[in-house]
Amino acid sequence: MRCLKFFFLFCLLLSTSVIADSNFENADPWYQQGNDWLQSKLISQQFENLDRDKQLAKNVILFVGDGMSITTLTASRIWQGQQQGLLGEEHFLHFEAFPHTALIKTYNTNQQTPDSAGTMSAMMTGVKTRAGLISMGTEQELSDCKNSKRYQQQTLFEWGHKQGFDTGVVTTARLTNATPAATYAHSPDRGWEGDYDRHPNAYWYGCDSIAKQLINTAFPAGLDLALGGGASKLESYYPDFKQQFPHGRLLTNNQGLQALDFTSASNSNVQIGPILGVFSAENLSYELDRNNENSVNQPSLQQMTKKAIEYFQQRNGRYLLVIEGALIDYAHHKSNAARALSETSSLANAVKLADEMTADDDTLIIVTADHSHTFTMGGYPQRGNPILGISKNQKNEIVLANDGMPYTTLGYANGKAYGRQLKEVDDVLVDSKRVDFQQGVAVHLTLETHGSDDVALHAKGPAAYLFSGLMEQHEIFHTILQALGKNTGPQKLILEETL
Ligand SMILES: [Zn+2]
């Protein structure tokens, strides 16, 4: 961070002289801003490219915004900007100012529109696969346990344990949900979260639940930290956890998490681990609801991110950390833009914290999404129009649709129809900025669906330049290995593991 600030000041000085010396003087602030941006980019690229072939990442932090489509980024940056009193459009989410970006194709091997299991498995194993599978290859049939072990694909974490990395996963969902599960488990069915969620053939052929794999396989193999929700699936394994790990910590509320102090030099926490924090029965609460009675004991995503990084920094080794903002997806499925934008803003703030806590020259930070949603933003609202509001034109007049009703700027191509069912113009005016307001939809379904379009990836740190252009999602895994200086050939890694 300090480096960037220094370069920013430097580039301001430089850009002033560039403008003065050129024939293209233009006092328009947008012109100047454009030139400032260019100069800043040129300088930061020189910085980034210094010995870049030799630059390797010591640590990797991968942030995944579940369902964080590009439209979600646009709307969330406006939302966050407007929260700060800005018009909004000119604002950036913290990671949107990262120097390197790529577009990511998200399809599963058997679906044009992907799910979180197949997409996260692709990122974690380097192998694109079917929807519903947890870190298994595409030859695996969904929900079929028989002979399934041969299709297990080694995850980044499993590889990392053997290479001596510390590993951890943080999520606002159940820890056994598809996205976090793909970091540490293998399952022919994402639904086999708890012991009683499994199909009978899982019992017959010996496929453990994802919960059991977390406690009895992943932690013993070297997983160091897991923070999230999901006590309903995991609590039957708490005794196993305590028995196996006398120096482990089982945390069930935010007070317990905050009581862990990894920052003071003279504490006795050096030996502790692994850490399992399960802060709710199911998913954690939405950020907008976190102060409610039921969620007062839950940590925020930022609080979990801070403790996870402090823990790894105290251990002093190399680490691989996956942090998921899971509830963006849940809010979108309910056509509820307010919570989806707030969750995205929360994830962006967690990224900012991680960026501030880590050094640019040893930690690669990647921010991406697993898949998109059918979320849209349009009409012709005036500049600075409230992002959750109805569309108003340049004269600040409400724009009416063909049915005589106003419409919100944000909507969904499908989902449960709420917003457009309001009968009075006044209803929409009053309701559209409500936290619980559900946006208008075109095609009526019980739940809004994922989208099939590409998602964005933002990266900074050592070897971040490797992320560019249009990439397949599983290539993220290979690029991470390359960034760590360990890309000895993923095929070789997988064969060693499974044969
Ligand atoms: Zn979803």
Side-chain angles (χ1 to χ4, degrees), residues 58-62 156-161 165-169 223 312 318-322 480 484:
K58 178 176 172 234
N59 316 305
V60 177
I61 305 177
L62 172 64
L156 181 69
F157 281 10
E158 289 166 331
W159 169 84
H161 298 153
F165 284 87
D166 291 339
T167 56
V169 59
L223 182 69
F312 288 133
R318 302 179 76 179
Y319 62 86
L320 305 169
L321 176 58
V322 171
I480 290 172
L484 293 166

Side-chain angles (χ1 to χ4, degrees), residues 116-380:
S116 291
T119 52
M120 191 60 179
S121 296
M123 284 189 264
M124 284 296 102
T125 67
V127 172
K128 199 183 265 294
T129 193
R130 292 174 185 239
L133 299 181
I134 301 293
S135 291
M136 306 194 74
T138 189
E139 300 84 359
Q140 172 66 43
E141 291 287 338
L142 187 68
S143 311
D144 181 12
C145 177
K146 191 177 180 186
N147 296 326
S148 64
K149 283 216 164 37
R150 75 175 111 163
Y151 300 125
Q152 292 183 359
Q153 295 284 344
Q154 179 170 240
T155 70
L156 181 69
F157 281 10
E158 289 166 331
W159 169 84
H161 298 153
K162 284 182 248 166
Q163 303 281 328
F165 284 87
D166 291 339
T167 56
V169 59
V170 172
T171 180
T172 46
R174 290 189 301 272
L175 277 164
T176 48
N177 201 12
T179 307
T183 66
Y184 63 80
H186 306 275
S187 179
D189 192 325
R190 61 178 288 172
W192 295 354
E193 290 186 44
D195 285 353
Y196 302 108
D197 300 327
R198 292 174 299 160
H199 185 275
N201 82 63
Y203 298 83
W204 299 332
Y205 297 111
C207 284
D208 287 341
S209 68
I210 292 165
K212 186 174 181 182
Q213 290 185 55
L214 174 61
I215 307 295
N216 288 343
T217 308
F219 278 121
L223 182 69
D224 298 288
L225 172 137
L227 305 177
S232 66
K233 311 293 181 192
L234 287 162
E235 62 193 351
S236 59
Y237 287 101
Y238 289 173
D240 286 11
F241 181 84
K242 288 178 185 163
Q243 192 194 346
Q244 292 181 86
F245 307 108
H247 299 292
R249 288 289 185 281
L250 173 62
L251 312 168
T252 55
N253 56 44
N254 194 24
Q255 289 87 330
L257 181 67
Q258 296 311 318
L260 292 180
D261 177 13
F262 303 118
T263 51
S264 61
S266 60
N267 65 58
S268 56
N269 287 329
V270 176
Q271 298 300 325
I272 82 163
I275 298 175
L276 171 63
V278 189
F279 306 108
S280 73
E282 301 294 333
N283 295 338
L284 303 190
S285 293
Y286 292 105
E287 188 61 28
L288 285 177
D289 305 325
R290 237 172 36 79
N291 292 325
N292 294 359
E293 227 174 286
N294 297 337
S295 50
V296 74
N297 289 327
Q298 296 178 12
S300 67
L301 186 62
Q302 288 97 307
Q303 287 173 321
M304 293 192 288
T305 298
K306 183 165 186 282
K307 285 293 175 187
I309 294 173
E310 284 174 357
Y311 178 53
F312 288 133
Q313 288 180 340
Q314 192 199 44
R315 289 166 66 87
N316 234 349
R318 302 179 76 179
Y319 62 86
L320 305 169
L321 176 58
V322 171
I323 299 175
E324 186 202 18
L327 306 181
I328 302 164
D329 181 67
Y330 283 81
H332 274 329
H333 279 305
K334 292 176 181 167
S335 331
N336 181 208
R339 286 190 176 82
L341 304 192
S342 144
E343 290 301 313
T344 306
S345 169
S346 170
L347 179 73
N349 293 340
V351 176
K352 182 168 187 283
L353 186 65
D355 191 11
E356 288 165 355
M357 291 177 73
T358 56
D360 289 354
D361 63 2
D362 70 9
T363 302
L364 171 63
I365 300 180
I366 305 163
V367 186
T368 188
D370 49 356
H371 57 72
S372 167
H373 267 273
T374 74
F375 191 45
T376 70
M377 178 177 167
Y380 294 107

Side-chain angles (χ1 to χ4, degrees), residues 377-399:
M377 178 177 167
Y380 294 107
Q382 62 182 329
R383 176 79 196 280
N385 200 57
I387 191 63
L388 294 172
I390 57 166
S391 196
K392 288 189 184 177
N393 65 17
Q394 306 285 322
K395 296 176 188 163
N396 208 32
E397 297 162 341
I398 296 167
V399 183

